[in-house]
Amino acid sequence: MAKHERQRADEVSQKWDRIWFDRFMAFLRQTQRSRSADRDTVVAFSQSLLRHGKPAWQRLQAVRAIRNEALKRGERTPQLDEIILKLRELAQDEQNTGDGDPGQLNPNEPSLIQELRKQLRIQHLALSTEKAYVQWVRRFASRFHVEAEQDWSFIGVDQVQQFLSELAVEGSVAASTQNQAFSALIYFFKHVLRRELENVDAFRAKVPETLPIVLDEEEIEAVFANLSGLSLLLARLQYGSGARGKEILRLRVKDFEFRRNQLVIRRAKGQKDRVTILPLILQDELKGTIETRRRLHDADLVRGFGSVYLPEALARKYRTAAKDFAWQYVFSAARISRDPRSGIQRRHHLNEDYFPSRFHGAVKTAGIDKPATPHSLRHSFATHLLESGIDIRTVQKLLGHKDVSTTMVYTHVMRNGALGVTSPLDRMQARFDAEQVGV
């Protein structure tokens, strides 16, 4: 670890030592205890933190702060070693079981909403899915004035059909929005109410048949020219690999296979893994990014952090994997944050809003009059491969499409014209040009 990074880690550690020791002194004044770091007093302080919902790793940090302050005063603290050891074990247990635990639930929420959250978390569905499903169930309950748990016994297919039809007709929502509401209600009835919704015949919003927004190579170069640093790297990687934006943010160190020139996309759409291209031109920069990430991880470990979210049962199966460097997100957040479900402090990946806003600015600055988004880079990747002669089945595998018909849409936006057909006007002009040359 570089000298300045060690200094920064020490400064952060000292800062938290002061914070926790001040809280300990406030606890002594509040409880009218003597200003002593004796075992019983420190245990009482730790228990008060537990009552306020503080996880074991924070209680461990607090007791360490008390010990550090005592050592500064020349006091020996063997009485605290047992407490620190126990809290370290509890913190490790929390780390290893946090992902399978539904985490803290709000007791003020209706019991069925709490159960919905619990089921979603047990099945390891995304936090964004949880927020959306809870919002739709709340909205549905409000529409039909369902307040008490027993009121749901009078709710069924008729109300669901009416709700979905109102969304499409009166709300004019997009088809994807209506489908999300439908999925939320299907899930709620099945996993919470333990009832199956069958033969739902609602008026469905029409799915528009739209073509993907594709940038040509000159436009992509213009966008790149208006990006820099991490934003430029993310843009080049997305265009060079064809990965989705979320897939890139979730890349871990072990997913970069430099010798094979490939990226391994884990748990992609449909919960399937796939392999795609790792551009040669980006390898040196990516290796440098990973080394910088290693130093940050080392600093996190010094501070008592360094863990990362692991999917499903991996945290229980591989008890130390959460702190292994191979599992860390490469494109990590600048700050450690609290997992809203488990309460564990972790360094997550970059926020999903980080890159799109910068990309939009670059498109605007480049003077490109297309509603392009970062996903347009994935569309451009596929289209340009097809234009270069790569067969559609290969492109399908690289993109992770389940059905080749999904990939076929890119044949409609290829550079050689719609469906590869030459306009009769162009053929007429070509004959005219040939006749002129003959003259």
Side-chain angles (χ1 to χ4, degrees):
M1 191 190 310
K3 182 178 179 181
H4 71 279
E5 290 175 337
R6 289 197 298 269
Q7 290 175 342
R8 175 57 181 163
D10 290 343
E11 289 173 0
V12 172
S13 178
Q14 291 170 9
K15 169 189 171 183
W16 280 104
D17 277 359
R18 290 192 297 271
I19 292 173
W20 282 118
F21 189 75
D22 287 345
R23 292 183 183 180
F24 177 62
M25 297 304 291
F27 170 78
L28 294 180
R29 291 191 295 271
Q30 183 179 3
T31 57
Q32 297 182 343
R33 292 174 178 265
S34 61
R35 297 193 176 188
S36 171
D38 64 84
R39 183 184 182 281
D40 291 343
T41 300
V42 173
V43 167
F45 176 57
S46 177
Q47 289 175 341
S48 72
L49 295 178
L50 177 61
R51 287 193 296 272
H52 285 83
K54 301 298 182 184
W57 72 265
Q58 284 189 317
R59 305 200 303 276
L60 173 62
Q61 192 179 54
V63 176
R64 282 175 174 166
I66 297 170
R67 181 188 63 183
N68 292 342
E69 186 62 27
L71 291 175
K72 288 180 184 178
R73 298 178 180 181
E75 301 176 13
R76 298 180 68 252
T77 57
Q79 72 276 15
L80 301 185
D81 291 345
E82 178 186 349
I83 302 173
I84 291 173
L85 180 61
K86 181 62 176 177
L87 287 173
R88 186 182 294 123
E89 292 175 353
L90 290 174
Q92 186 63 48
D93 288 342
E94 284 183 357
Q95 173 62 53
N96 291 332
T97 61
D99 292 319
D101 191 296
Q104 298 178 356
L105 298 171
N106 184 355
N108 295 322
E109 286 190 317
S111 59
L112 290 180
I113 294 295
Q114 292 186 55
E115 181 62 22
L116 174 60
R117 292 188 188 276
K118 180 179 178 181
Q119 292 300 321
L120 289 164
R121 295 177 186 186
I122 288 174
Q123 295 183 27
H124 304 283
L125 295 182
L127 180 60
S128 58
T129 302
E130 177 183 327
K131 290 179 178 178
Y133 279 24
V134 168
Q135 179 265 140
W136 281 118
V137 172
R138 286 184 179 279
R139 187 168 169 179
F140 180 85
S142 175
R143 168 63 184 83
F144 294 101
H145 309 289
V146 182
E147 298 179 358
E149 185 172 338
Q150 58 268 25
D151 294 342
W152 283 97
S153 61
F154 303 101
I155 300 295
V157 172
D158 292 343
Q159 288 76 19
V160 172
Q161 289 180 167
Q162 181 181 346
F163 182 72
L164 295 175
S165 296
E166 287 174 356
L167 286 177
V169 178
E170 299 174 17
S172 300
V173 301
S176 58
T177 302
Q178 190 194 45
N179 287 336
Q180 185 188 65
F182 187 33
S183 298
L185 295 174
I186 288 286
Y187 187 95
F188 179 74
F189 273 80
K190 180 178 181 179
H191 296 280
V192 179
L193 299 180
R194 309 297 177 184
R195 292 158 52 192
E196 294 284 351
L197 280 179
E198 298 179 353
N199 302 319
V200 176
D201 185 22
F203 182 86
R204 305 306 296 274
K206 186 177 180 180
V207 179
E209 296 182 3
T210 58
L211 293 176
I213 301 298
V214 174
L215 301 174
D216 60 37
E217 293 179 358
E218 292 76 16
E219 289 172 327
I220 290 176
E221 288 176 356
V223 172
F224 287 175
N226 288 284
L227 293 170
S228 62
L230 180 57
S231 297
L232 177 58
L233 177 58
L234 292 172
R236 297 176 78 197
L237 183 58
Q238 186 161 9
Y239 173 61
S241 66
R244 300 177 178 89
K246 288 183 179 180
E247 292 171 349
I248 287 178
L249 294 183
R250 294 169 183 170
L251 286 171
R252 301 174 191 258
V253 173
K254 66 183 184 64
D255 297 331
F256 289 80
E257 298 187 354
F258 292 104
R259 292 184 180 180
R260 295 176 177 268
N261 302 324
Q262 64 185 28
L263 279 177
V264 182
I265 308 296
R266 311 280 182 182
R267 294 169 60 85
K269 200 170 183 178
Q271 300 299 302
K272 294 181 179 180
D273 295 353
R274 77 173 190 280
V275 172
T276 190
I277 308 166
L278 176 58
L280 287 170
I281 196 173
L282 296 181
Q283 288 204 11
D284 288 343
E285 186 174 0
L286 287 168
K287 288 177 181 177
T289 300
I290 289 174
E291 281 306 308
T292 300
R293 181 68 182 88
R294 185 190 298 276
R295 291 192 292 271
L296 179 60
H297 180 58
D298 289 341
D300 286 344
L301 291 173
V302 169
R303 295 169 55 197
F305 300 108
S307 68
V308 70
Y309 166 78
L310 292 183
E312 296 181 353
L314 281 173
R316 294 187 294 273
K317 185 176 181 180
Y318 304 108
R319 294 181 64 85
T320 62
K323 290 192 175 182
D324 287 350
F325 181 60
W327 285 94
Q328 304 303 309
Y329 292 117
V330 172
F331 304 112
S332 60
R335 298 179 180 179
I336 289 174
S337 58
R338 177 182 175 276
D339 189 312
R341 290 175 167 178
S342 67
I344 297 174
Q345 294 277 350
R346 297 189 176 106
R347 189 177 294 280
H348 203 51
H349 57 63
L350 275 174
N351 189 285
E352 293 176 6
D353 295 331
Y354 172 85
F355 179 54
S357 60
R358 289 161 174 79
F359 182 85
H360 176 73
V363 170
K364 186 176 181 180
T365 304
I368 298 173
D369 297 322
K370 292 180 180 179
T373 67
H375 203 66
S376 300
L377 295 173
R378 173 175 162 89
H379 294 323
S380 303
F381 165 87
T383 305
H384 295 170
L385 285 182
L386 291 171
E387 289 174 346
S388 68
I390 302 299
D391 69 274
I392 197 165
R393 291 289 182 182
T394 298
V395 177
Q396 175 193 358
K397 290 182 179 179
L398 293 173
L399 294 175
H401 288 162
K402 183 178 180 180
D403 195 308
V404 73
S405 62
T406 306
T407 318
M408 286 289 291
V409 70
Y410 297 111
T411 63
H412 296 267
V413 289
M414 290 170 62
R415 188 165 43 194
N416 57 349
L419 302 176
V421 177
T422 301
S423 168
L425 181 62
D426 290 327
R427 288 201 303 270
M428 180 186 295
Q429 183 65 39
R431 285 196 303 271
F432 176 78
D433 292 342
E435 291 171 358
Q436 291 294 104
V437 171
V439 173

